[in-house]
Amino acid sequence: MTSSIKTSNLPTPNEPILSRQKLEVFLTSLTLVTAILAFMAANTQQSSIWVLFLYSVAYIAGGYYGVIDSIELLKEKNLDVNLLMILAAMGAAVIGQPAEGATLLFLFSLSNTLQSFAMDKSRKAINKLLQLRSSVARIIRDGQTFDIPIEELILGDIVVVRPGERFPIDGEVMNGSSNVDQSPITGESIPVYKENGDTVFAGTVNGNGALEIKVTRLAEDTTLARIVQMVEDAQNRKAKTQRRLDQFEKYYSGFILGSAVLLIIIPYIFGQSFYTAFYRSMIWLVVASPCALVISTPASILSAIANGARNGILFKGGAHLETTATLKAIAFDKTGTLTTGKPNIKSIIPFGEVTEDQLLRFAASAESKSEHPIALAITRAAELKELNLENVSFFQAFPGKGVLAKTNNDSILIGNRRLFTSQNFIIPNELNHQADDLVEKGETAMLVNVSDQWYGIIGVSDTLREDAEFIVNKLKQAGIQKVIMLTGDNQNVAAEIAKLTGVDEFHAELMPEDKVRILKEIQKKYGATAMVGDGINDAPALATADVGIAMGGAGTDIALETADVVLMADNLSSLPHTIGLAIKANKVVWQNLTFSILVIIGLITSTFIIDLPLPWGVVGHEGSTVIVVLNGLRLLRYNPK
Ligand code: ADP
Ligand code: MG
């Protein structure tokens, strides 16, 4: 029996879950013992007061939580299956079959207890995440090293993390280098090398080097804290199938209750004994109750969400898990998704009298305000050459084209040719040819113009992620029919990457709004489509897709916020797991639904054809409920490797 553990009624991990669980175990045992004693007492002709007392205890112990949960729901004008079971047990007592009623209540509370243990196993995944939190951090203030509670850390504090210790807080490495095991957060199995300037996350484990890190996020804002919050939210958000089942349960319970009454009245009118009619009606109440059916979805979805969280995959709700299982096509953003998003500067071609350093200096000044991967490459190159950048007083990004920045004296434009034609610039032939040459070589060419004077061209190229082709292949094996690449980059680069990764289709030179338009076309053509991006400037496409999948969730806030599914690691390796898990979860949900419906049909048929005794009805009913929950639990262990 189920509904006492509806997801929404589940205690949050901060509440003492155990107290109810322990009490449930106690009450279930009490039901068993008193029921047996009562049965023996009745058979050995003990005083009937004694028998009555023992049965009463058995009834109260066995029905306690069922009654409480039913009353809760009745207050919300909601019927649930708990109520049916309680009524059946009371009915059994009324017609002088208290032993069968007590058996029913015992099995009922036993299966409830088993279920809440099982469901709790999925919930514990969050508790595991909570355990990754440290309580104190070792900081250096005024030359002194001491421990303080992490809640008292302020931004900019310097925290010392020794080899093998867990990072207490999100921060930036200021001193030292080390290999960091990020698997608790991102699911990445291989440690990640961290040095000055790199970000580290609370909950991950330091390798062999001592590190000093600067606190960049308060304890309540860490990536870990937000993952915990999101997984909790996700588990409380109901899947579509479940919402439908909840609706169904309400009417179905009413129907069963009504028909139970008719099952007493009608046969009675037609001359059957009241006892027989009533007994059968009680069995009807039990076997027709959709307990297994109602629990089948949440039991599976909770486990799947927990499995994801352990592997660095956040589903923001059961509904997204369901949609992911039905995907027909997956569209990838190129930069930062199929490629590493860390482009290298390949060519710096100054124009006219301008020097290479001047070109780079102005380009980097403008890009210093941009978060685009290309911008980072350009500013890094300027840093290496120790060029002094101009102060930028105004900055504007043109997504898919480039940027405009103003300094005290100048206005700097850097971007692709589309940027300049859209601003009514006429590009000199020589620059056009040089840009063509770079594109021919597979580079992405950016023109630079400072206060209406052409400064030259910068060519960058991005490296493909090592496993991109492997991942694309895996997705196709998993049943994704079309893998598509969408990019704002030029046709040439796009074609090259498409060839190397083996995507089925690619669209190049797209503005962010073009990506949305093409995505809609893909949805129309192939069906449910996911968009995979890094969240930077592809938020509209992520929102349009049936499932928006953002990667690098541990690094960027936008990714965490805009997507339906977040891959915590900044790579694609968990994508096949994501799809595989969703498909598996879907399968398990359907197995559970089919199984529970068949059991109900089987039990109902037996009730009317072979006069199934009540205890057997209860065994079949509760047994199927437990089986469905255990089947859902299998998803905790799903691992495609
Ligand atoms: P993608 O779809 O590959 O992620 P974007 O839409 O981010 O590409 O950008 C498309 C093109 O716009 C880039 O290839 C580049 O030519 C230009 N661009 C975008 N942002 C910038 C920037 N900050 N600086 C220079 N060029 C840019
Ligand atoms: Mg991008």
Side-chain angles (χ1 to χ4, degrees), residues 333-337 372-373 486-488 515 531 533-538:
D333 181 39
K334 178 187 74 78
T335 311
T337 307
H372 199 277
L486 307 179
T487 179
K515 291 187 185 173
M531 171 80 200
D534 56 5
I536 298 173
N537 83 27
D538 43 27

Side-chain angles (χ1 to χ4, degrees), residues 154-165:
I154 52 172
L155 296 181
D157 265 341
I158 300 294
V159 173
V160 186
V161 184
R162 299 206 180 117
E165 286 181 341

Side-chain angles (χ1 to χ4, degrees), residues 333 335 367 370 372 400-403 416 444 446 487-488 515 537:
D333 181 39
T335 311
E367 297 284 25
S370 165
H372 199 277
K401 293 187 205 161
V403 304
N416 51 24
T444 305
M446 261 83 48
T487 179
K515 291 187 185 173
N537 83 27

Side-chain angles (χ1 to χ4, degrees), residues 157-437:
D157 265 341
I158 300 294
V159 173
V160 186
V161 184
R162 299 206 180 117
E165 286 181 341
R166 212 176 268 290
F167 289 93
I169 196 86
D170 283 11
E172 185 188 324
V173 177
M174 302 303 284
N175 206 348
S177 65
S178 184
N179 287 309
V180 175
D181 173 9
Q182 303 205 114
S183 59
I185 299 283
T186 65
E188 288 164 290
S189 50
I190 302 164
V192 184
Y193 180 73
K194 303 276 181 176
E195 58 184 356
N196 279 3
D198 287 340
T199 310
V200 290
F201 305 106
T204 62
V205 180
N206 192 10
N208 44 13
L211 293 179
E212 282 178 17
I213 62 168
K214 187 176 76 183
V215 176
T216 52
R217 283 209 181 118
L218 298 177
E220 74 256 26
D221 300 331
T222 60
T223 305
L224 176 63
R226 274 185 294 170
I227 295 177
V228 170
Q229 187 57 48
M230 276 179 191
V231 176
E232 271 177 26
D233 290 350
Q235 294 197 328
N236 288 329
R237 219 169 281 159
K238 290 179 180 173
K240 266 179 261 157
T241 312
Q242 203 198 331
R243 259 182 268 136
R244 263 180 244 133
L245 280 175
D246 283 354
Q247 273 300 319
F248 162 80
E249 184 190 6
K250 206 164 124 186
Y251 297 113
Y252 186 78
S253 303
F255 161 74
I256 293 177
L257 214 53
S259 46
V261 175
L262 291 182
L263 275 176
I264 301 173
I265 298 176
I266 296 175
Y268 185 64
I269 294 175
F270 281 90
Q272 224 175 32
S273 83
F274 176 77
Y275 175 88
T276 315
F278 195 91
Y279 186 77
R280 183 178 306 123
S281 166
M282 291 305 107
I283 301 178
W284 162 256
L285 272 189
V286 173
V287 299
S289 290
C291 297
L293 195 59
V294 173
I295 195 89
S296 55
T297 306
S300 318
I301 301 277
L302 278 187
S303 300
I305 289 178
N307 176 311
R310 281 185 194 174
N311 289 286
I313 304 161
L314 294 189
F315 287 95
K316 289 212 196 145
H320 303 307
L321 194 69
E322 285 179 306
T323 322
T324 305
T326 64
L327 287 176
K328 296 285 181 294
I330 296 189
F332 284 93
D333 181 39
K334 178 187 74 78
T335 311
T337 307
L338 285 174
T339 66
T340 58
K342 297 188 181 86
N344 292 312
I345 307 253
K346 283 287 159 74
S347 324
I348 302 181
I349 308 172
F351 186 71
E353 307 290 296
V354 179
T355 67
E356 207 171 279
D357 281 2
Q358 276 174 321
L359 167 58
L360 191 56
R361 194 164 72 84
F362 278 98
S365 302
E367 297 284 25
S368 64
K369 298 279 182 217
S370 165
E371 54 172 9
H372 199 277
I374 292 176
L376 298 183
I378 292 176
T379 46
R380 217 177 321 118
E383 236 168 68
L384 281 178
K385 288 192 156 188
E386 297 180 349
L387 300 176
N388 278 329
L389 300 189
E390 300 275 328
N391 263 335
V392 172
S393 53
F394 172 85
F395 173 84
Q396 189 184 356
F398 298 94
K401 293 187 205 161
V403 304
L404 162 68
K406 287 188 176 149
T407 65
N408 279 343
N409 310 315
D410 292 303
S411 139
I412 312 167
L413 271 168
I414 167 166
N416 51 24
R417 282 182 267 191
R418 218 169 15 195
L419 171 70
F420 291 94
T421 43
S422 72
Q423 304 276 322
N424 299 323
F425 278 81
I426 293 167
I427 302 166
N429 273 338
E430 192 188 335
L431 275 179
N432 245 331
H433 287 311
Q434 285 169 333
D436 284 341
D437 286 346

Side-chain angles (χ1 to χ4, degrees), residues 27-219:
L27 289 176
T28 306
S29 319
L30 186 63
T31 314
L32 178 66
V33 173
T34 46
I36 291 176
L37 286 177
F39 187 70
M40 289 184 349
N43 279 345
T44 52
Q45 324 287 314
Q46 298 279 344
S47 79
S48 56
I49 303 255
W50 188 222
V51 175
L52 181 68
F53 170 74
L54 286 170
Y55 272 131
S56 307
V57 175
Y59 263 63
I60 292 170
Y64 179 71
Y65 275 119
V67 169
I68 288 195
D69 291 342
S70 296
I71 291 176
E72 278 298 302
L73 276 168
L74 279 175
K75 275 192 213 147
E76 299 163 23
K77 295 213 168 43
N78 237 332
L79 264 183
D80 82 329
V81 282
N82 274 309
L83 187 67
L84 304 183
M85 298 299 267
I86 304 289
L87 288 178
M90 297 203 312
V94 167
I95 56 167
Q97 295 290 356
E100 300 202 352
T103 315
L104 186 160
L105 285 176
F106 164 65
L107 290 169
F108 166 63
S109 68
L110 175 68
S111 105
N112 265 348
T113 309
L114 286 178
Q115 284 171 61
S116 69
F117 267 106
M119 298 291 274
D120 208 44
K121 244 187 122 166
S122 336
R123 303 232 134 212
K124 287 259 170 65
I126 310 184
N127 288 12
K128 272 222 178 90
L129 284 172
L130 287 173
Q131 283 161 19
L132 299 175
R133 278 210 288 233
S134 321
S135 50
V136 293
R138 187 178 308 115
I139 64 162
I140 309 182
R141 265 187 209 161
D142 311 322
Q144 299 233 27
T145 308
F146 54 97
D147 286 358
I148 64 167
I150 56 164
E151 291 77 21
E152 288 171 22
L153 287 171
I154 52 172
L155 296 181
D157 265 341
I158 300 294
V159 173
V160 186
V161 184
R162 299 206 180 117
E165 286 181 341
R166 212 176 268 290
F167 289 93
I169 196 86
D170 283 11
E172 185 188 324
V173 177
M174 302 303 284
N175 206 348
S177 65
S178 184
N179 287 309
V180 175
D181 173 9
Q182 303 205 114
S183 59
I185 299 283
T186 65
E188 288 164 290
S189 50
I190 302 164
V192 184
Y193 180 73
K194 303 276 181 176
E195 58 184 356
N196 279 3
D198 287 340
T199 310
V200 290
F201 305 106
T204 62
V205 180
N206 192 10
N208 44 13
L211 293 179
E212 282 178 17
I213 62 168
K214 187 176 76 183
V215 176
T216 52
R217 283 209 181 118
L218 298 177

